[in-house]
Amino acid sequence: MSALWIAHVTVTDETAYGEYAKRATVAIADHGGVFLARGGAYEQLEGPDRSRNVVARFPSLQAAHDCYYSDAYQDALSFAKGASQRELSIVEEIA
């Protein structure tokens, strides 16, 4: 089954986060991930408001997990730390 990364982000340093996004895009694609939503219009209904919302689909829960823990993504993530407040979940899709 495919799986989704669902991220809710408040960016506090646009330059550093831009570098994260550039590097993360490559790491995500290398693991079969494709973006379904990335920073578009949204309506916050519950929970903390994060102005950037991202959804990426991976071919499996394992692929999403492996991407997150890959050297390439961890390198990208080093640019997001201190440049954002984030929540990220991996959710398996239903068939």
Side-chain angles (χ1 to χ4, degrees), residues 4-56:
L4 303 174
W5 267 19
I6 303 172
H8 306 288
V9 184
T10 298
V11 176
T12 56
D13 180 336
E14 293 286 343
T15 302
Y17 200 82
E19 187 63 29
Y20 157 78
K22 182 172 64 171
R23 292 172 185 240
T25 297
V26 174
I28 289 166
D30 286 349
H31 287 84
V34 294
F35 290 100
L36 303 178
R38 196 171 191 189
Y42 72 99
E43 179 181 359
Q44 184 65 31
L45 300 175
E46 295 183 21
D49 185 27
R50 302 277 189 219
S51 61
R52 183 172 176 82
N53 298 283
V54 180
V55 179

